[in-house]
Each structure stands twice: as structure tokens, then as C-alpha cells.
Amino acid sequence: MDYASLWGDVHRAAFEQGYLDAGGVRTRYIRAGDRSAPKLVFLHGTGGHAEAFLRNLDAHAAHFDTVLIDYLGHGWTDKPDVAYEMPDYAAHLAATLDALGFASASICGESMGGWIAAWFAIHHPDRVERLVLNTMGGATMNSAVMQTVYDKTLAAVEEPETLTRPRLEWLMADPSVVTDDLVACRTRIYAQPGMKETMRRILCLQQEEPRRRNLMTPANMGLIKAPTLVIWTSKDPTASVETGREIASWIPGSEFAVMQNCGHWPQYEKPEEYNALSLGFLLGGRSEGAG
């Protein structure tokens, strides 16, 4: 395979990487788009980082002031000694929006990022314009999946040079889309001092008791007021299409779309298709393929 750089996906728009103070937490972001445009924030998944959405930055920045963040404890953002449960992530997201000067924004979250986005929309409804929940986590109690996420993520942090690639490949329907550049990026993040201890705290949500008290349910997701698109995939390793459709049914008026032959990162495996779905919804229309 020819060498593929992460940065080859962000050549259409000016962008910046920076750090901001979000309630005392030094928080990394990547930002592109007109500062006067509507606001949009992307949230990655468990153990992830902003690069999960680099293939979507240019397309969304054509319409939105678009920010990819490393949220609490993840990527190059600070890793404070906190519980790493939904209230902690939501507080950090609120502080990040404050630091950006965003009174409100649309939020797109993948996996645990979708969990955080949904939780935030429930507790801060005035700050969320629209939601895109992409193969979201936190709405099931599948012990086998929870154990797999726990084991693969912790193993990658403990042996980043050899086990980061298998952790990333598990996310994909086509493992060959995992490039050397993506592996190198995450390997360096996982090799940071203190990352092992932080990841053990982060992975509390893959354990039964903490997960249950943070769980998304028909009752709490029924409180979401923001227009919502739920995106699922035909080959997601964490939950079936039927489960995704059920989760979408809990949100009043939500739309549901399935991307074929993608795993847990459809925004990375098929960015053009994902961007069309996402933008169709975020710009106020009905996404093609949604039902």
C-alpha cells in the first residue's frame, strides 16, 4: 500500500491545532472553517483522539466553524485524576464550549463520543443545536463487547508498539484502511507518561457497575430535544443494526441511517458517504438514506 498521511485529508481549508483552558484542563483541538459560521464539535471514541475525524474536517468546515477535540483524558489533552464518568466528560465539554466562546453547537459523536453527546444534550439542552450519534456507545450492557473493548484498549496502552494496530483494525470492516500514519499517531499518544493509569480509569465505563449508573436508556434518551441523526453500520463490532435502530427509536423524532460494509468508524472508512449523510442532516435537510 502506498504511504498515506493523515494530513492528506485536510488540504482544502485552512486549519489550526491549538490548546485551550477548559475549566483548568489543557485541551487540544483542531479547528477549521469561518469563525462566523454555525458551530460544530466532533467527539471521538474510547481511547481515541481528534484524528478520528480528520477525513471529515474539510467537508464540514465548508459550512461550519468546525472543532475536533481530544476530550478529557484522551489524546494530548490533560489527564486529571477524576472519575471519568459521564458527568466528568459533560463538564469538560461545557468548559470547552465556554473556552471556544460557543453558546451552543451541533455535536457529532462517535462511540463514546456519541454517549457524551447524548448525555450532554439531556443535561444542557440549550447548548445543543443538532446531534449526530455515530455507532454510539453507552446504550447496551453487552458483557462480551465491554470485555473486548477493555482488554484490547488496555493491551494497546501497555504495549503500544505492537498492539495499537490490532486495536485499530478491530474497529474497521476493512482492516487495510488502518494506515501506518494512524498507527504511529495513536502509538505516540499511548506511550505518554501516565497513560496506562489514566486508561484504567477511562475504562471504568466498560465495567458493569459504573456503566450501569451512566447507561443511556429509553427513559433518559427520550429527554433529548435536539434534532438527532443516528448512524449505524452493517458491520459494527459493538452492536447490530437492529440494536442501533432500537436506540434511535428512543429519541423523539430521530432519523436513522445505515452505512453498508463499515465497522465502528464509518466516518473514516467511507468519509464521502458519511459526510453526505452528516451534512445533509446538519444543514437542515433529511439525510439521504435516513429512515
Side-chain angles (χ1 to χ4, degrees):
M1 180 184 294
D2 292 337
Y3 179 76
S5 169
L6 287 168
W7 301 106
D9 296 303
V10 283
H11 59 276
R12 295 178 183 86
F15 64 90
E16 67 177 38
Q17 174 183 257
Y19 288 84
L20 52 81
D21 183 338
V25 176
R26 186 173 186 263
T27 299
R28 178 206 180 213
Y29 68 87
I30 299 170
R31 187 176 187 179
D34 187 334
R35 298 297 177 90
S36 67
K39 311 307 179 186
L40 176 63
V41 175
F42 281 95
L43 303 175
H44 57 76
T46 301
H49 39 93
E51 283 77 9
F53 285 101
L54 273 186
R55 290 183 170 174
N56 318 106
L57 183 61
D58 278 358
H60 288 79
H63 305 277
F64 294 91
D65 182 3
T66 304
V67 182
L68 323 180
I69 69 168
D70 291 347
Y71 55 69
L72 187 72
H74 287 68
W76 299 105
T77 287
D78 277 354
K79 295 154 182 62
D81 185 5
V82 297
Y84 289 95
E85 297 189 24
M86 284 299 120
D88 304 290
Y89 291 116
H92 177 251
L93 178 54
T96 300
L97 295 183
D98 290 344
L100 288 165
F102 292 2
S104 63
S106 292
I107 303 176
C108 298
E110 175 264 326
S111 193
M112 190 166 79
W115 190 353
I116 295 167
W119 184 281
F120 190 80
I122 293 165
H123 293 89
H124 301 274
D126 58 323
R127 305 201 71 173
V128 180
E129 301 292 336
R130 284 179 172 253
L131 278 177
V132 178
L133 306 177
N134 170 14
T135 58
M136 72 168 287
T140 62
M141 289 288 294
N142 186 318
S143 59
V145 171
M146 291 157 58
Q147 193 64 52
T148 297
V149 173
Y150 187 97
D151 290 346
K152 286 184 175 292
T153 306
L154 194 58
V157 174
E158 290 177 339
E159 297 183 47
E161 294 293 336
T162 56
L163 296 179
T164 295
R165 181 180 290 276
R167 169 66 170 84
L168 287 164
E169 289 179 344
W170 177 75
L171 299 168
M172 312 297 181
D174 177 5
S176 71
V177 303
V178 175
T179 64
D180 290 345
D181 204 30
L182 180 61
V183 173
C185 175
R186 184 167 291 203
T187 297
R188 184 135 184 212
I189 287 169
Y190 280 3
Q192 291 175 87
M195 194 71 203
K196 294 178 186 177
E197 293 73 18
T198 298
M199 192 60 74
R200 289 188 180 95
R201 293 198 293 272
I202 288 168
L203 291 170
C204 71
L205 293 176
Q206 306 304 322
Q207 299 172 321
E208 185 172 352
E209 185 177 341
R211 189 179 186 91
R212 195 175 298 281
R213 63 175 171 261
N214 290 273
L215 195 65
M216 306 310 296
T217 65
N220 59 23
M221 289 190 73
L223 300 174
I224 293 174
K225 303 299 184 186
T228 302
L229 170 64
V230 177
I231 298 176
W232 221 262
T233 69
S234 64
K235 295 186 177 181
D236 179 62
T238 69
S240 67
V241 170
E242 291 73 22
T243 298
R245 192 181 303 276
E246 181 181 12
I247 291 168
S249 75
W250 300 344
I251 306 170
S254 72
E255 299 179 29
F256 182 69
V258 179
M259 291 179 59
Q260 298 297 325
N261 299 313
C262 297
H264 203 54
W265 275 27
Q267 81 284 353
Y268 184 89
E269 287 196 83
K270 294 189 175 182
E272 292 82 7
E273 182 180 346
Y274 176 89
N275 292 340
L277 271 174
S278 174
L279 285 168
F281 173 75
L282 290 169
L283 293 171
R286 186 172 182 81
S287 292
E288 184 179 345

